[in-house]
């Protein structure tokens, strides 16, 4: 067998030839015996789930002063006093209001058989392709000027692509999430030859100096979600075979703790104020405080649509962005809604295309 | 599969559920055995999938999608098998030679044997994506939905699983090194 395509041909034939549907003696009785005495779950609990990845980009406004034309000298003095006060920590100025910028998402390309990256304005207008190549899991940097994708970062317009260096022999980078100061990334890494080494690594923004943060330990995957706004913790999903749970890791010492027992869909989007972590359970979004309290569901205000993806906070923390599939379709569109589950807005309307890998950046201007 | 049976079972009718089990257990056996390569583990995985199905049926909103939903539960049950402590002997039957239509049956059997040994060397995750793609013939997006992963990730996992399988097959075809080569 010299041609590689023959492997697929023989594999298909092999499966057909060896598939054995034989029902063993007593097997059905065993199943029925195991289920006969069991109560069914209530509807709200009986839901399905899975485990992808996402995050939300966020930014912290820089103090700004509004110049006055008159009383220039007095104003200069006030600015100097303000600067000294801020520098010494004597007093703080409120951050400038954060403005929601573009939404980035991946769209499956049948030609490429892979993902292409698109941008859209928050109202759904101005949709355009940024990258024609095969890139995955785009995430805005905190200042909204760059994107991380699998194995690289690049400018938000697709230029200035900087691939990551090799992590270690045989190991591969996955999706990456920016730290709040934009100087580091948390990235999934794994090895095809040794599943036991899979985990999350902290790397510099250029992919250098990897430091292990987590080890899955179950031959599954740890997939990073958002960093906390103070940069001290990272939410992540841990797949241990049957489903994924929502966890948090301490960036300083790698200590982990489980936040939500699965099944959870999503690696955790951290609200810009640091108060909530959002994910999906069943067909609802859930929010929980970082200490595990306050768990509650946020229902999506539709009945004709199902299968939402994982939610991600807007930079101003007032809305969630996510993808969602219509009933009976494999093609998801992008939506936003308020964090209380109202004001659903459809961003894309492409019944023949599947859109995923959704993230919301700050307005860099 | 009769949607009325699903609706009845969803409402707690265990007799209706028994008919659903009888109608789908053979198909689930075949899938689980291909993924796990272990008859006993496959039997456990199928049973766990049905138990999960019975408990979770009230959450199934579209009875027409019962089979796809049940397959999804089985795949997850198979993935969970690697966490089970019990280790069992490989019990796969000898592969049939009713493979691709090639003239030389001896060569075909050799290929079948290569593929089988290659599959044995894969992880459960890798065999899962191959079974979804090349046995169930699910499109990449549907396979990704079953596993709960992005489409691109599904595609890369299929690619890596095929690469691992090809590596095994290629290694089998590579001639043995000479004594001198082995010495180096």
């Amino acid at each position: 067998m010299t041609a590689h395509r023959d492997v697929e041909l023989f594999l298909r034939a092999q499966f057909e030839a060896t598939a054995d549907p034989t029902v063993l003696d007593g097997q059905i009785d065993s199943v029925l015996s195991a289920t006969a005495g069991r109560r069914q779950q209530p509807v709200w609990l009986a839901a399905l789930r899975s485990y992808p990845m996402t995050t939300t980009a966020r930014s912290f406004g820089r103090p700004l002063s509004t110049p006055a034309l008159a009383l220039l000298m007095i104003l200069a003095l006030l600015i100097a006093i303000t600067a000294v006060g801020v520098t010494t920590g004597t007093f703080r100025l409120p951050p400038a209001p954060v403005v929601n910028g573009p939404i980035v998402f991946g769209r499956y390309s049948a030609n490429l058989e892979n993902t292409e990256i698109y941008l859209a304005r928050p109202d759904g207008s101005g949709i355009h392709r940024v990258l024609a190549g095969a890139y995955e899991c785009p995430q805005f940097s905190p200042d909204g000027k760059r994107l991380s994708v699998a194995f690289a970062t690049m400018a938000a317009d697709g230029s200035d692509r900087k691939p990551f260096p090799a992590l270690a022999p045989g190991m591969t980078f996955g999706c990456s999430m920016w730290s709040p100061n934009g100087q580091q990334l948390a990235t999934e890494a794994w090895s095809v030859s040794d599943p036991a080494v899979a985990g999350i690594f902290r790397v510099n923004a250029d992919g250098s100096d990897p430091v292990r943060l987590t080890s899955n330990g179950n031959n599954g995957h740890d997939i990073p979600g958002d960093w906390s706004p103070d940069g001290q913790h990272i939410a992540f999903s841990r797949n241990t075979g049957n489903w994924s749970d929502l966890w948090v890791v301490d960036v300083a010492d790698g200590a982990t703790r489980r936040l939500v027992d699965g099944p959870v869909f999503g690696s955790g989007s951290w609200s810009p104020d640091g108060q909530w972590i959002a994910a999906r359970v069943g067909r609802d979004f859930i929010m929980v405080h970082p200490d595990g309290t306050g768990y509650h569901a946020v229902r999506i205000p539709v009945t004709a649509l199902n299968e939402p993806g994982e939610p991600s906070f807007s930079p101003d923390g007032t809305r969630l962005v996510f993808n969602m599939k219509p009933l009976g379709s494999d093609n998801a569109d992008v939506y936003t809604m308020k964090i209380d589950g109202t004001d659903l807005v459809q961003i894309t309307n492409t019944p023949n295309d599947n859109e995923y890998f959704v993230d919301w950046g700050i307005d860099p201007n | 599969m009769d949607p009325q049976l699903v609706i009845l079972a969803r409402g707690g009718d265990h007799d209706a559920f028994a008919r659903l089990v009888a109608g789908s257990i053979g198909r689930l056996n075949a899938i689980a055995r291909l993924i796990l390569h272990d008859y006993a583990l496959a039997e456990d995985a199928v049973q766990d999938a049905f138990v999960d199905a019975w408990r979770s049926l009230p959450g199934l909103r579209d009875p027409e999608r019962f089979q796809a939903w049940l397959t999804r539960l089985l795949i997850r049950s198979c993935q969970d098998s690697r966490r089970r402590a019990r280790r069992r002997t490989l019990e796969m039957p000898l592969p049939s030679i009713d493979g691709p239509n090639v003239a030389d049956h001896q060569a075909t059997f050799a290929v079948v044997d290569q593929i089988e040994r290659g599959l044995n060397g894969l992880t459960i995750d890798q065999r899962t994506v191959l079974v979804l793609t090349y046995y169930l013939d699910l499109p990449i997006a549907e396979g990704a939905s079953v596993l709960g992963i992005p489409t691109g990730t599904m595609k890369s996992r299929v690619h890596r699983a095929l690469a691992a399988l090809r590596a095994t097959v290629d290694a089998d075809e590579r001639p043995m090194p000479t004594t001198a080569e082995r010495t180096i």
Side-chain angles (χ1 to χ4, degrees), chain A residues 165-173 189-194 197-199 201 212:
Chain A
L167 181 62
M171 292 200 71
T172 305
F173 280 123
W190 70 88
S191 167
V192 174
S193 58
D194 184 5
V197 303
F201 287 73
R212 179 182 288 277

Side-chain angles (χ1 to χ4, degrees), chain A residues 1 8 10 12 14 20 22 27 30 35 38 40-41 46 48-51 113 136 190 240 242 330, chain B residues 9 14 29 33 39 47 54-55 59 69 76 83 100 111-112 116 134 137 142 148 152 155 166 173:
Chain A
M1 191 187 331
E8 298 174 54
F10 279 99
R12 201 179 291 276
Q14 180 85 346
D20 181 3
T22 306
Q27 190 180 7
S30 177
T35 53
R38 293 215 181 199
Q40 292 183 315
Q41 292 175 333
L48 295 173
R49 52 55 221 82
S50 39
Y51 50 89
E113 293 188 340
E136 292 201 347
W190 70 88
T240 53
N242 205 27
D330 291 329
Chain B
H14 197 257
N29 275 342
R33 289 163 184 166
Y39 268 44
Q47 170 144 338
W54 169 249
R55 299 191 67 230
W69 175 77
R76 286 170 183 156
R83 293 196 300 176
V111 171
V112 167
E116 193 58 33
Y134 295 106
D137 279 331
E142 180 70 17
K155 185 173 180 296
R166 284 166 179 153
E173 290 185 335

Side-chain angles (χ1 to χ4, degrees), chain A residues 1-2 4-5 7-24 27-28 30-36 38-43 46-53 108 112-115 136 172 188 190 192 195 218-221 239-242 265 283 299 306-307 325 327-328 330 354 356-357, chain B residues 9-12 14 17-18 21-22 25-26 29-30 33-34 39 43 46-47 50-51 54-59 61 69 72-73 76-77 79-80 82-83 95-96 98-100 111-112 114-116 119 123 125-126 130-131 133-135 137 141-142 145 147-153 155 157 160 162 165-166 169-170 173:
Chain A
M1 191 187 331
T2 54
H4 278 178
R5 64 178 181 276
V7 173
E8 298 174 54
L9 176 67
F10 279 99
L11 180 60
R12 201 179 291 276
Q14 180 85 346
F15 280 149
E16 286 296 328
T18 58
D20 181 3
T22 306
V23 180
L24 303 174
Q27 190 180 7
I28 293 180
S30 177
V31 170
L32 298 181
S33 173
T35 53
R38 293 215 181 199
R39 293 180 58 185
Q40 292 183 315
Q41 292 175 333
V43 174
L48 295 173
R49 52 55 221 82
S50 39
Y51 50 89
M53 52 206 98
Y108 185 74
L112 288 176
E113 293 188 340
N114 216 315
T115 306
E136 292 201 347
T172 305
E188 178 194 2
W190 70 88
V192 174
N218 290 284
N219 291 347
H221 292 260
N239 168 244
T240 53
N242 205 27
F265 188 90
R283 286 190 170 89
R299 181 143 295 180
N306 72 343
E307 289 279 6
K325 295 178 185 177
L327 272 174
D330 291 329
N354 189 22
Y356 43 92
F357 289 146
Chain B
R10 189 173 62 183
H14 197 257
F17 182 72
V21 171
I25 193 168
N29 275 342
R33 289 163 184 166
L34 286 177
Y39 268 44
E43 185 182 358
V46 169
Q47 170 144 338
F50 277 123
V51 171
W54 169 249
R55 299 191 67 230
S56 304
L57 254 176
R61 298 185 182 183
W69 175 77
R72 180 183 294 204
L73 295 183
R76 286 170 183 156
S77 181
Q79 291 186 307
D80 198 36
R82 63 186 167 194
R83 293 196 300 176
S96 161
D98 298 332
V111 171
V112 167
Q114 283 178 329
I115 295 283
E116 193 58 33
L119 287 170
T123 65
D125 277 348
Q126 289 172 326
L130 293 181
V131 167
T133 306
Y134 295 106
Y135 177 65
D137 279 331
E142 180 70 17
S145 174
L147 293 176
I149 59 177
T151 306
T153 304
K155 185 173 180 296
R157 288 189 185 178
R160 287 199 292 269
L162 276 178
L165 185 61
R166 284 166 179 153
V169 173
D170 289 347
E173 290 185 335

Side-chain angles (χ1 to χ4, degrees), chain A residues 294-319:
Chain A
Y295 182 101
H296 67 278
V298 178
R299 181 143 295 180
I300 302 170
V302 290
T303 55
L305 300 172
N306 72 343
E307 289 279 6
E310 55 188 310
S312 183
F313 278 99
S314 63
D316 67 1
T318 62
R319 302 185 70 85

